[in-house]
Amino acid sequence: MSDSHEANWDRLGEFVTQTMEEKGVPGVAVGILHQGEMASAGFGVTSVDNPLPVTDETLFQIGSITKTFTGTALMRLADMGKLDLEATVRTYVPDFKVSDETAASQATIRHLLTHMGGWVGDLFEDTGAGDDALGKYVANMADLDQLAPLGTVWSYNNSGFSLAGYVIETVTGRSYQAALKELVLEPLDLGHSYFDPGDVMIHRFVVGHKAGDEGAEVARPWPLPRAAYSGGGITCDVRDLLRYARFHLGDGRTEDGTRLLSPGSMTHMQTPQVTVWGDETWGLSWAVDQVDGVRQVSHGGGTTGQVSLLALIPEHDFAIAILTNSDAGGAVTQAVSDWALAHCLGLEVTQPAPIEASEAELRLYVGRYSRPFADIELGMLGGRLVGQLTWKGGFPSQDTPPPPPPPPMSVALCEKDRLLVMDGPFKDATAEIVRKPDGSIGWLRASGRIHVRKA
């Protein structure tokens, strides 16, 4: 490691330690890959109940970063001529159904990879640990409501990636885990990436944490349902995640020079396919946006009490992976990523700021916005816009009781049709007002999910 990189790495470690202590996060692993040089380290402990030091070989759940692995597997199958991104899902799963027949019959593999299905995306259902888990899950999608017409509005969709995993099973004739191991994990030499708890438990691994009355406490349950594996099931160490990032910074060849994906497929995955908002776009399973005028390719992950982030800056041959074992870990992943981009690459991450808006302008957004998992009510109080979130279901299953609602939050405009939370547990989060073709308000998108305007 060069002297400049080593100095930045030492300062980053100090910043990580300070930030995790401020946010009450028990354990963090961080890794950086820059111009071929890799550095990684662990901080804190695996569990407040049974503490072991976190190292760069400690296993964390990476949650939805797994979706990019699923996308990589699908692109391999496409390169092999076994799958067509433009083919309908029913080409591979003839009995696929959601409540809207148009969406069910016309949805393509591309719609799944770009979160453009439009149906309810949060179906957290444990369909067992058997080889039929994904098949049962997909059958249970038949009653999912259509929140927006297929292909019209971006809305983060977990169920679409469980469906994508089932497509992989039908195309390969193997379980999702076995297929992913053959298509992605083994060729990239990712020997510390696992799905099943039985494989994880023989290594050092973290448990998730949530905020308790006396600080962080262990969050339960630890395992994810097998039907969620293709959307968020990988458990790995930070070094494996950096090796995976190294591949996606390349041209589709593995470290030994073997061609895994075509250059065209690599480019396609990281090229904007749909616009989310402004410079925020989505490629094929990757988020693609701009940081200080430079392209960033990234994905986050969240499970029960674990939050992670993998971000790539291809122009600088740079990647950072941050793994945490707390539901407060998002504050750490964001702060550490911003620090690294600033100090390692000189990129300034700008944060949204409130703008002046009249009471009449704010009143246009008043209403109730609903999806099966949560409702958001926007109202006026003393000339200000105030929001109230009400959970209607829990995680990781439909039977999990919903958490108590957070306190009402003050909301401001940060640009036209974009809202900024000013206080409370979601402070600095943004939400978008999404309009219909006629200009009327159709949805409020918060946490990446669309909520249908009801009143």
Side-chain angles (χ1 to χ4, degrees), residues 25-296:
V25 174
V28 175
V30 176
I32 282 180
L33 176 66
H34 192 192
Q35 297 174 349
E37 295 184 2
M38 183 187 296
S40 55
F43 306 84
V45 297
T46 58
S47 166
V48 295
D49 288 350
N50 299 284
L52 291 172
V54 173
T55 74
D56 61 0
E57 295 183 337
T58 301
L59 304 179
F60 288 74
Q61 292 177 338
I62 65 169
S64 288
I65 298 174
T66 305
K67 290 180 172 67
T68 69
F69 288 73
T70 299
T72 303
L74 287 168
M75 296 305 288
R76 277 215 74 194
L77 292 172
D79 276 353
M80 296 162 68
K82 297 182 178 181
L83 179 141
D84 183 355
L85 298 184
E86 313 308 329
T88 64
V89 172
R90 283 187 174 172
T91 302
Y92 310 103
V93 187
D95 55 353
F96 167 62
K97 292 181 181 179
V98 288
S99 63
D100 184 271
E101 174 58 21
T102 299
S105 61
Q106 297 182 11
T108 66
I109 305 303
R110 183 180 296 275
H111 285 127
L112 304 185
L113 288 174
T114 55
H115 299 275
M116 293 294 285
W119 55 75
V120 172
D122 291 328
L123 176 64
F124 301 126
E125 192 161 306
D126 189 345
T127 52
D131 288 344
D132 58 355
L134 275 174
K136 288 181 176 179
Y137 180 98
V138 170
N140 290 342
M141 291 178 64
D143 296 327
L144 290 181
D145 292 336
Q146 194 73 19
L147 302 181
L150 175 72
T152 61
V153 179
W154 185 90
S155 184
Y156 194 80
N157 199 306
N158 281 298
S159 61
F161 271 81
S162 288
L163 175 57
Y166 189 54
V167 169
I168 290 173
E169 290 193 341
T170 62
V171 169
T172 64
R174 310 188 66 186
S175 71
Y176 167 78
Q177 301 96 293
L180 192 80
K181 186 175 183 179
E182 179 181 321
L183 292 168
V184 180
L185 301 183
E186 288 184 340
L188 296 183
D189 195 26
L190 304 181
H192 298 272
S193 298
Y194 310 99
F195 286 98
D196 296 330
D199 293 327
V200 173
M201 64 189 296
I202 60 175
H203 304 278
R204 183 174 301 194
F205 65 95
V206 303
V207 299
H209 296 83
K210 60 183 180 180
D213 294 336
E214 299 180 2
E217 60 183 43
V218 173
R220 295 174 174 83
W222 188 91
L224 291 176
R226 181 168 173 175
Y229 281 3
S230 55
I234 289 178
T235 298
C236 70
D237 64 29
V238 71
R239 294 182 63 81
D240 254 22
L241 202 51
L242 288 180
R243 280 188 283 269
Y244 175 69
R246 174 179 283 153
F247 170 74
H248 276 283
L249 287 170
D251 66 355
R253 288 176 291 186
T254 65
E255 289 189 43
D256 66 4
T258 302
R259 171 65 61 190
L260 193 67
L261 279 184
S262 66
S265 289
M266 294 291 291
T267 299
H268 204 42
M269 289 189 74
Q270 300 180 18
T271 298
Q273 308 293 315
V274 298
T275 297
V276 179
W277 188 270
D279 289 334
E280 298 174 19
T281 65
W282 211 263
L284 296 177
S285 75
W286 287 103
V288 183
D289 59 9
Q290 298 286 317
V291 177
D292 206 4
V294 177
R295 181 169 56 101
Q296 175 177 250

